[in-house]
Amino acid sequence: MVDISKLLSRRTGRMKASEIRELLKYASVEGVISFGGGLPNPETFPVKGLNEIVSKVLLEKGKKALQYGTTEGAESLREAIARRMVEKRGMKIDKNNVTITSGSQQALDLLAKLFLEPGKTAVVEAPTYLAALSAFRPYEGEMVGISMDDEGMDTHLLEETMKKLREEGRKVPFIYTIPTFQNPSGVTMSLDRRKHLLEIAAYFDVLVIEDDPYGELRYAGEDIPTLKQLDEDGRVIYFGTVSKILAPGLRTGWVVADKDIIGKFVVAKQATDLCTNTLAQHIIAEAFDSGLVERHIPEIKKLYAHKRDLMLDMLDEKMPEGTSWTRPEGGMFLWVRVPAHIDTMKMFPKAIENGIAYVIGEAFYPDRSVKNAMRLNFTYSSDEEIKEGVERLAKTIKEFL
Ligand code: PMP
Ligand code: G9A
């Protein structure tokens, strides 16, 4: 057998298997209830509606839909997305500001490819989306986390940190945020903080990345303008995806940005996959244009709102003294804090023994500094599993206290 260790590139040393993907394995272990994976509930996939659309697309435009497409993406889909972003996310853009990606996960990789290298520092929320950290790491830049509270990223701390980084001569190309129903915390950034963030970004002349997979899944409260809506100088790069409003198996997302930024994403993408799955793009365009997505989102929201309420009720009822959790107004996750002396990684084997899985909090921190937290997903499990799962979790924490 070849010993590849001497042959691998330096960057592979920084690649790490996703802890979420590893944990997804527990989701299929007999008897374990998993609040770990960030999976949509398969009950929400509009299988019948999509079946009709797939036949229609194949019959009416099979030759186009099965051919290679442009790297920018299918014209019909870019138009449908641009319309939706204007109507639902308040943007002033057109299809030339949109490029299609193979999920927003690809957008994260392309972002890092374009803007990170040794000597550059990405500023992220702490905690942040675990697989964004995985996407950024191989490009050999550094990452600095800004802590969060109930209003999202602490922008005063952001300002101080940006000043400090500048004094140290460290170059920051972008600030990465998931401002609405954040993964993993479920927290939404307040309007004041959004404005403050944009002011800071303008002052330090850096880009802002708004990753927004959950923005349309609001169950309570009022919509807050997207950063892209508030963006006055083309500083915000926005990522969207169909994964949570239609189906993640379609592996399709999009980037909204100024045209010259879009151009850079397109060139970077050419080398990775030439184009996103053309059939999927035509199917999604039809799903938007026919109103399927529009009719479907209220059903997703109804189901998830119920599951969120159920999990919150169960937590209120069962969790021991000294624990606390967020009460998200949308999205798929909530964030639980346990007493400071509990390390959720050390508790994990006990949790599995008790038949419950979660994602350990430290995985979401670039410096892995917070040990006494965990992320719970409330969308995937059945009602019975949510009830039983929270009981098992509470029991595990009590046993560990
Ligand atoms: N960003 C965030 C914040 C996410 O939560 C996810 C999915 N869990 C992604 C990006 C990737 O989404 P996609 O399925 O579009 O690749
Ligand atoms: O890895 C996956 O399947 C996507 C999950 C994302 C998450 O759990 O945040």
Side-chain angles (χ1 to χ4, degrees):
M1 235 176 70
V2 185
D3 175 11
I4 60 164
S5 63
K6 293 191 295 288
L7 309 176
L8 284 168
S9 74
R10 192 179 57 183
R11 88 178 63 83
T12 57
R14 300 170 64 106
M15 290 179 183
K16 202 167 155 294
S18 155
E19 274 152 308
I20 294 176
R21 299 246 115 200
E22 292 299 308
L23 281 166
L24 277 178
K25 293 173 192 158
Y26 285 107
S28 52
V29 172
E30 184 82 9
V32 175
I33 295 173
S34 177
F35 295 154
L39 302 183
N41 196 302
E43 296 296 318
T44 66
F45 302 154
V47 177
K48 205 160 152 277
L50 280 175
N51 183 32
E52 282 159 25
I53 288 177
V54 172
S55 322
K56 183 172 169 205
V57 166
L58 283 174
L59 289 172
E60 290 175 10
K61 35 185 130 153
K63 289 195 173 139
K64 205 167 168 192
L66 294 171
Q67 186 55 281
Y68 283 116
T70 60
T71 308
E72 286 83 347
E75 200 82 346
S76 55
L77 182 58
R78 291 167 70 209
E79 273 166 16
I81 286 168
R83 268 201 309 277
R84 192 163 187 89
M85 292 298 98
V86 170
E87 279 168 24
K88 304 282 177 191
R89 309 306 282 147
M91 299 178 197
K92 297 174 275 293
I93 54 126
D94 62 38
K95 69 163 196 282
N96 298 311
N97 300 109
V98 177
T99 190
I100 306 302
T101 56
S102 299
S104 31
Q105 193 60 39
Q106 184 185 40
L108 288 165
D109 179 67
L110 299 177
L111 171 77
K113 201 177 200 176
L114 288 172
F115 294 104
L116 286 182
E117 62 196 348
K120 298 259 171 82
T121 301
V123 173
V124 302
E125 288 161 333
T128 189
Y129 174 46
L130 163 50
L133 297 176
S134 315
F136 297 168
R137 228 174 252 127
Y139 292 94
E140 303 183 280
E142 296 186 37
M143 285 178 268
V144 169
I146 308 292
S147 57
M148 300 177 62
D149 59 23
D150 289 349
E151 281 187 68
M153 189 198 298
D154 178 342
T155 48
H156 292 287
L157 190 58
L158 172 68
E159 197 169 358
E160 273 170 37
T161 307
M162 292 295 289
K163 270 193 204 131
K164 204 164 124 247
L165 290 171
R166 180 182 271 183
E167 278 159 22
E168 290 167 0
R170 289 160 74 179
K171 293 200 178 74
V172 176
F174 63 79
I175 302 164
Y176 169 71
T177 171
I178 307 145
T180 313
F181 318 133
Q182 200 226 21
N183 180 4
S185 68
V187 166
T188 295
M189 193 188 291
S190 66
L191 181 58
D192 284 349
R193 292 267 178 95
R194 287 176 193 230
K195 289 180 179 161
H196 193 201
L197 166 60
L198 290 175
E199 274 167 30
I200 295 166
Y203 179 80
F204 288 94
D205 200 17
V206 300
L207 295 165
V208 173
I209 315 307
E210 177 175 32
D211 192 2
D212 188 35
Y214 309 104
E216 290 206 49
L217 300 181
R218 176 178 280 284
Y219 323 128
E222 297 294 318
D223 269 341
I224 299 179
T226 56
L227 290 164
K228 189 69 198 153
Q229 176 173 356
L230 301 169
D231 177 26
E232 280 168 7
D233 48 2
R235 193 172 294 287
V236 177
I237 304 179
Y238 175 99
F239 296 165
T241 175
V242 299
S243 290
K244 312 295 151 65
I245 55 170
L246 194 56
L250 292 163
R251 301 312 307 130
T252 300
W254 57 90
V255 176
V256 182
D258 264 20
K259 274 181 238 161
D260 52 342
I261 298 177
I262 290 293
K264 293 290 179 204
F265 271 87
V266 169
V267 175
K269 179 178 161 70
Q270 270 167 14
T272 73
D273 64 356
L274 305 176
C275 66
T276 293
N277 182 326
T278 326
L279 179 58
Q281 291 188 64
H282 281 91
I283 291 165
I284 296 162
E286 183 62 29
F288 279 122
D289 291 346
S290 65
L292 174 77
V293 176
E294 200 55 31
R295 287 193 300 278
H296 185 60
I297 289 178
E299 286 175 36
I300 304 178
K301 284 168 54 170
K302 199 167 133 207
L303 183 73
Y304 290 179
H306 161 76
K307 290 193 180 290
R308 178 201 65 152
D309 293 347
L310 181 62
M311 189 174 275
L312 287 173
D313 287 349
M314 287 303 296
L315 290 166
D316 288 341
E317 195 181 311
K318 301 288 175 194
M319 288 293 260
E321 203 64 26
T323 55
S324 62
W325 49 93
T326 55
R327 307 187 85 87
E329 293 190 327
M332 303 191 356
F333 306 105
L334 55 83
W335 185 249
V336 176
R337 279 183 187 276
V338 293
H341 64 278
I342 294 189
D343 180 334
T344 53
M345 170 112 104
K346 295 205 178 113
M347 189 173 74
F348 195 74
K350 177 110 217 139
I352 294 302
E353 203 183 295
N354 286 342
I356 180 70
Y358 52 80
V359 189
I360 53 171
E362 68 173 80
F364 301 95
Y365 288 81
D367 59 2
R368 302 188 77 91
S369 55
V370 172
K371 309 284 183 196
N372 63 324
M374 65 180 84
R375 187 191 76 176
L376 304 186
N377 164 277
F378 56 79
T379 58
Y380 178 72
S381 302
S382 68
D383 290 4
E384 282 318 306
E385 287 169 335
I386 291 178
K387 287 185 204 156
E388 177 63 27
V390 173
E391 285 205 32
R392 290 180 188 179
L393 183 63
K395 175 170 168 256
T396 305
I397 297 170
K398 279 179 204 151
E399 284 173 5
F400 213 75
L401 269 170

